[in-house]
Amino acid sequence: MRRGTIAQVTSRPAAAQHLRDLARLRRVRDRIDREYTQPLDVEALARGVTMSAGHLSREFRLAYGESPYAYLMTRRIERAMALLRRGDLSVTEVCFAVGCSSLGTFTTRFSELVGVPPSVYRRQTAQATARMPACVAKQVTRPIRNQEARDTQAYLT
């Protein structure tokens, strides 16, 4: 009986710490969602929630299934997709509008996430989503990481 009491007492602080960590991870995710156009790095994000960069990266991946950098790039690419569907900005303008500082890196990440380069995406979706409401077009054209796409294809076959 006494051992059960000790286990309960020692697990409470661990559970409380876990909840505090989850709250800090949500703050990091919310900051990325708000400030995706700003230059963000893991060290700055970690400082903002008083965690080490390594701990933040590990815990973020456990909680959300991807690293903070991958999450940031996903947000940027989602926004880039919306701007490209709109059609009034060049690929270079979209790249800088979403917070990327290198057109090459932007194009590479976009291609990895979406499956086609931004210029091809722009041509393909302009016609496909022309008559769709923006909220529906966003859902239909949501980026899927290549790993997720392979998993989905395996499930469908």
Side-chain angles (χ1 to χ4, degrees), residues 76 95-96 99-103:
R76 287 177 173 173
C95 167
F96 294 121
C100 293
S101 58
S102 164
L103 182 59

Side-chain angles (χ1 to χ4, degrees), residues 1-18 20:
M1 184 159 153
R2 211 166 208 194
R3 285 186 183 178
T5 306
I6 291 172
Q8 289 174 349
V9 170
T10 57
S11 67
R12 286 184 187 153
Q17 181 61 44
H18 180 67
R20 284 192 298 272

Side-chain angles (χ1 to χ4, degrees), residues 54-128:
H55 185 65
L56 171 64
S57 291
R58 282 187 302 275
E59 293 300 314
F60 196 95
R61 184 180 299 276
L62 283 171
Y64 299 113
E66 60 187 341
S67 70
Y69 177 76
Y71 185 83
L72 170 63
M73 289 307 294
T74 301
R75 295 290 78 70
R76 287 177 173 173
I77 298 305
E78 283 178 343
R79 182 64 182 140
M81 292 169 72
L83 293 173
L84 289 168
R85 281 193 306 273
R86 222 174 57 185
D88 60 338
L89 297 175
S90 71
V91 171
T92 302
E93 290 170 323
V94 168
C95 167
F96 294 121
V98 299
C100 293
S101 58
S102 164
L103 182 59
T105 301
F106 169 73
T107 301
T108 300
R109 297 289 179 239
F110 191 99
S111 299
E112 287 173 355
L113 195 59
V114 179
V116 295
S119 56
V120 173
Y121 176 82
R122 184 179 184 175
R123 279 194 307 273
Q124 289 177 346
T125 60
Q127 294 172 334

